[in-house]
Amino acid sequence: MKYWIILLIGWLPSAFAVELVQNTASRDYQSLNGEWDVIIDAFDVGDKRKFFTNTIPRSPSQLVEYNFSSSMKLQVPGDWNTQGKELFRYEGSVWYHRKFTVDKRKNKNYVLYFGAVNYIAKVYLNGEFLGEHEGGFTPFQFDVNDNLKGGDNSLVVKVNNRRESDYIPTMSTDWWNYGGITRSVKLLELENGYISDYSVVYGPGSDPAIKAYFKATGDYSKKSKVQFRVPELDINATVALDKDGKAEVIIPADPKLWTPEDPKLYGIEIAFKGREVVDRIGFRTVDIDGIEILLNGEPVFLRGISIHEESPKGAGRAWSEEDARTLLSWAKELGCNYVRLAHYPHNEAMLRIADEMGLLVWAEIPVYWDIQFGSEEVYKKAETQYTEMLTRDKNRAAIILWSIANETPKDEVRTEFLGKLVDKVHSLDPTRLVTAAINTQSTTEYGRRIDDPFAEKVDVIGINTYCGWYEDTPEECANYRWVSDYNKPVIVSEFGAGALQGFHGDEHQVFTEENQALVYRYNLEMLDNMKDLRGVSPWILKDFLSPRRPLANIQDYWNRKGLLSENGVKKKAWYVMKDWYEEKAKQPASDSESLFRAGN
Ligand code: GCB
């Protein structure tokens, strides 16, 4: 296809405030993963004693009270909690150090890229402070052209995971506060001028087209051209950059659309100044129409499961492609076409493999429970975390829902904060839907009423409900009738019950597998009666560590609501859910118009 046009309009997920190199896997880089030296610094003495200078004692008479080379070692990426007994419950500072060697070349741009560090990272290269990043689950980077030396370099990162009231998340969460450099570290070796960011999406309409955006960084001129190819669609377009190094283009195209059943991905190539970046992109649309969620214009029912980013083999942060494949394969085995990636941005492998496997995704940041909604500073942090996640993941077809928050108090201050964030996310990405997990429904004579004013702001309403576990008896759930004040699709984003795998007994004895299965059965009857229901993601795929779950011999600090044990052994409720999904997959996704609108 040779026909292309340039339009400079802003309907793409594109012009973001944060600088992040898109698709680092397709760049030249030196991996800085592996063994790092660490010093545990519970009392934060390292700043004053200048650990970042990595001073090596010069003579036996010189007093230097730290030494990286003789200190403890930890693997990066990886949380520290599961790498040493003394660190299991540790919350505080740990200094990381490693050396690396660079054959520094002229006409290259060097960028130091961190996949994620929980929660605060202060980064020093060769004794110089590069900067600080806040937020435990999103990437960040530093331009290191001035600080990087040819030959040996010394990199020091101070990591702190102490919880604070003005952080996101804040003091209390129902998951383990894994600290450390939890995702890969890369020294990117980029060209002098390079395409730092891009987005490629499908636009429907009477003239279907692929819309692409490119942004160059470094050395480019107004005349510089980007070559954009999608070989399978015979697309080969030459796009000129504007003075800010940006370009947008619309190319008429009729690709095979990405669906969960047939997750077709197209190879794309972006060539600039002799260097090519490659990616695999799915083309699809997502929309709503009343209570329907439309994927490529067709109603879809989201058969999902909630997932924490925890190792399939037990405790520890998951980060690898192998972990992602295991977790998402379990979701497929359960009969899912959808996953809720709770409660923070998961690693990039989860999104790329969801694209590959055909799993639709709900993504979220940890605006969880009672963060400081009254603080403008905290609001800015939420925007930053959202922007970082969106910038990294905007090219993943799998993501259809950006979730704003989980279980937040129903009051004006929070509703204003979240409303602002909805508007921001919509403006950053007009191609996807916005949702939130809401647990503040009112009680009626017959069940529950969705009437939280914040539900007005979102495209799709997420509902967390623990009927038969935290409230009411399992049997009562079947009689629940839900009404909604809003003509919008509803996803039950959480329901569930705890069970210790292998613990058997009476159906009404809590924590037995039988009881969990019972709670599931009655909740599924409740869901069968929710006419606005267009998706479900029970809580949760597998048991996960949580400091809030101390019950000895049952919980032992594991939240036991998994359909799988912490090591992946199936509980009885797994089969209840799987059977329901099997039936659901045979039914049409849409139902008649809601019979349960409030006031009907
Ligand atoms: C919830 C939270 C989730 C908890 C879950 C539970 O409502 O959203 O983070 O883990 O309940 O197990 O209580």
Side-chain angles (χ1 to χ4, degrees):
M1 170 119 15
K2 303 287 177 287
Y3 173 58
W4 55 272
I5 51 171
I6 299 172
L7 283 185
L8 292 169
I9 50 177
W11 34 235
L12 280 163
S14 54
F16 299 135
V18 290
E19 281 283 320
L20 274 178
V21 174
Q22 183 69 214
N23 188 7
T24 57
S26 180
R27 317 281 179 160
D28 292 332
Y29 65 87
Q30 180 181 159
S31 169
L32 299 181
N33 292 347
E35 190 177 87
W36 288 52
D37 314 315
V38 301
I39 296 173
I40 302 169
D41 185 16
F43 282 16
D44 285 297
V45 297
D47 301 274
K48 219 169 176 181
R49 293 190 195 161
K50 297 195 167 65
F51 284 6
F52 48 86
T53 55
N54 186 26
T55 313
I56 294 148
R58 271 180 231 119
S59 70
S61 60
Q62 188 187 358
L63 175 64
V64 179
E65 288 186 88
Y66 72 94
N67 183 350
F68 277 113
S69 59
S70 58
S71 70
M72 181 181 179
K73 312 293 169 204
L74 288 179
Q75 285 298 317
V76 169
D79 61 83
W80 64 53
N81 313 69
T82 55
Q83 294 192 58
K85 270 206 168 115
E86 66 273 49
L87 286 167
F88 185 60
R89 285 198 164 75
Y90 182 69
E91 296 186 304
S93 294
V94 173
W95 291 79
Y96 283 71
H97 165 259
R98 72 160 286 159
K99 287 191 196 129
F100 61 95
T101 309
V102 182
D103 173 17
K104 195 176 176 187
R105 291 190 279 161
K106 279 198 187 125
N107 296 324
K108 293 282 176 190
N109 252 306
Y110 291 92
V111 169
L112 182 61
Y113 183 95
F114 291 83
V117 173
N118 191 35
Y119 176 84
I120 302 268
K122 279 182 162 185
V123 183
Y124 301 85
L125 182 58
N126 299 320
E128 296 293 327
F129 180 56
L130 292 178
E132 177 173 326
H133 180 264
E134 177 174 345
F137 301 95
T138 45
F140 56 96
Q141 67 182 39
F142 303 100
D143 177 328
V144 290
N145 291 308
D146 293 343
N147 305 81
L148 192 72
K149 295 193 291 198
D152 290 343
N153 288 268
S154 166
L155 177 61
V156 173
V157 185
K158 181 190 181 190
V159 182
N160 186 297
N161 75 333
R162 209 171 282 130
R163 288 162 294 125
E164 300 290 351
S165 54
D166 61 344
Y167 285 0
I168 301 177
T170 180
M171 302 302 285
S172 187
T173 60
D174 192 19
W175 69 83
W176 210 254
N177 181 23
Y178 290 115
I181 303 180
T182 49
R183 294 182 192 155
S184 294
V185 186
K186 293 172 177 172
L187 178 68
L188 303 174
E189 188 186 291
L190 303 157
E191 300 306 312
N192 214 358
Y194 60 97
I195 296 299
S196 46
D197 192 20
Y198 59 85
S199 61
V200 179
V201 300
Y202 175 68
S206 49
D207 298 314
I210 288 170
K211 303 170 177 181
Y213 159 86
F214 310 98
K215 164 83 178 73
T217 293
D219 190 21
Y220 60 84
S221 71
K222 213 179 146 191
K223 290 189 204 110
S224 307
K225 301 255 192 321
V226 182
Q227 202 72 32
F228 174 58
R229 293 186 286 267
V230 189
E232 251 191 282
L233 293 172
D234 203 19
I235 289 173
N236 187 353
T238 309
V239 191
L241 297 176
D242 68 11
K243 63 173 183 2
D244 300 320
K246 294 179 182 173
E248 288 185 3
V249 59
I250 298 182
I251 304 165
D254 201 6
K256 183 166 187 215
L257 299 185
W258 184 100
T259 64
E261 296 72 36
D262 186 4
K264 170 71 186 160
L265 298 177
Y266 286 90
I268 66 155
E269 301 161 2
I270 300 165
F272 186 67
K273 296 186 100 177
R275 178 70 174 83
E276 201 171 78
V277 176
V278 297
D279 208 340
R280 294 170 74 213
I281 304 278
F283 298 112
R284 54 106 192 94
T285 63
V286 63
D287 218 331
I288 47 167
D289 181 11
I291 60 166
E292 302 300 341
I293 299 173
L294 304 177
L295 186 72
N296 302 323
E298 298 292 326
V300 62
F301 186 91
L302 307 177
R303 306 187 307 273
I305 187 75
S306 299
I307 305 181
H308 260 300
E309 191 193 47
E310 199 165 61
S311 164
K313 298 178 209 89
R317 269 267 162 269
W319 60 270
S320 69
E321 194 177 314
E322 193 194 338
D323 287 345
R325 275 191 198 286
T326 308
L327 293 169
L328 296 178
S329 299
W330 280 333
K332 289 292 273 191
E333 192 185 337
L334 186 64
C336 296
N337 60 5
Y338 163 69
V339 287
R340 175 183 178 197
L341 301 184
H343 276 302
Y344 36 74
H346 285 216
N347 65 83
E348 208 174 331
M350 289 292 277
L351 285 317
R352 288 190 171 270
I353 292 165
D355 257 10
E356 224 179 74
M357 287 187 176
L359 285 163
L360 296 158
V361 170
W362 156 315
E364 64 190 88
I365 61 165
V367 173
Y368 182 89
W369 292 350
D370 49 357
I371 65 159
Q372 285 185 357
F373 289 109
S375 155
E376 187 53 33
E377 284 305 301
V378 172
Y379 176 77
K380 277 192 209 131
K381 293 177 190 186
E383 267 201 0
T384 303
Q385 288 193 19
Y386 231 107
T387 310
E388 289 168 346
M389 170 171 73
L390 235 143
T391 305
R392 190 196 68 179
D393 295 337
K394 63 190 167 184
N395 286 312
R396 305 283 71 85
I399 301 176
I400 54 167
L401 288 161
W402 295 127
S403 175
I404 298 298
N406 181 78
E407 295 188 352
T408 50
K410 187 174 162 183
D411 62 47
E412 267 174 35
V413 179
R414 152 291 207 163
T415 303
E416 199 191 319
F417 178 113
L418 295 184
K420 235 162 84 179
L421 195 55
V422 170
D423 293 341
K424 176 72 184 174
V425 173
H426 265 150
S427 76
L428 289 171
D429 184 359
T431 71
R432 290 180 175 87
L433 306 173
V434 165
T435 189
I438 297 172
N439 70 332
T440 45
Q441 30 283 352
S442 333
T443 302
T444 67
E445 202 181 330
Y446 306 105
R448 295 286 181 269
R449 174 175 175 164
I450 302 171
D451 56 0
D452 188 319
F454 174 52
E456 180 77 59
K457 281 294 283 185
V458 294
D459 303 313
V460 174
I461 301 170
I463 294 292
N464 290 0
T465 170
Y466 281 88
C467 183
W469 185 253
Y470 292 128
E471 54 193 9
D472 299 333
T473 64
E475 288 78 0
E476 278 166 323
C477 311
N479 301 322
Y480 259 48
R481 291 293 176 271
W482 283 76
V483 294
S484 172
D485 288 359
Y486 308 99
N487 183 34
K488 294 181 180 190
V490 172
I491 293 175
V492 168
S493 34
E494 286 181 31
F495 77 91
L500 176 65
Q501 184 273 319
F503 179 39
H504 296 287
D506 184 84
E507 285 193 326
H508 287 96
Q509 186 180 355
V510 290
F511 290 115
T512 61
E513 287 196 37
E514 286 71 16
N515 180 254
Q516 188 189 34
L518 180 81
V519 173
Y520 264 72
R521 279 204 303 278
Y522 283 116
N523 268 273
L524 293 174
E525 274 192 48
M526 176 187 84
L527 300 189
D528 284 334
N529 289 320
M530 279 176 86
K531 298 293 179 190
D532 294 358
L533 189 76
R534 289 300 176 269
V536 191
S537 53
W539 194 254
I540 186 172
L541 181 65
K542 66 174 278 285
D543 293 354
F544 59 96
L545 266 189
S546 168
R548 297 170 57 94
R549 309 293 169 178
L551 180 63
N553 300 324
I554 297 280
Q555 293 176 316
D556 298 314
Y557 298 98
W558 290 90
N559 182 315
R560 293 291 181 199
K561 295 193 189 69
L563 291 176
L564 303 170
S565 71
E566 69 267 36
N567 301 313
V569 182
K570 296 181 176 88
K571 304 179 193 172
K572 283 185 177 228
W574 166 279
Y575 299 99
V576 176
M577 202 60 224
K578 187 172 158 65
D579 286 351
W580 196 77
Y581 279 157
E582 238 167 61
E583 281 309 305
K584 203 77 197 163
K586 291 181 202 153
Q587 294 163 10
S590 64
D591 208 320
S592 56
E593 209 192 312
S594 175
L595 304 175
F596 289 89
R597 184 92 35 251
N600 278 2

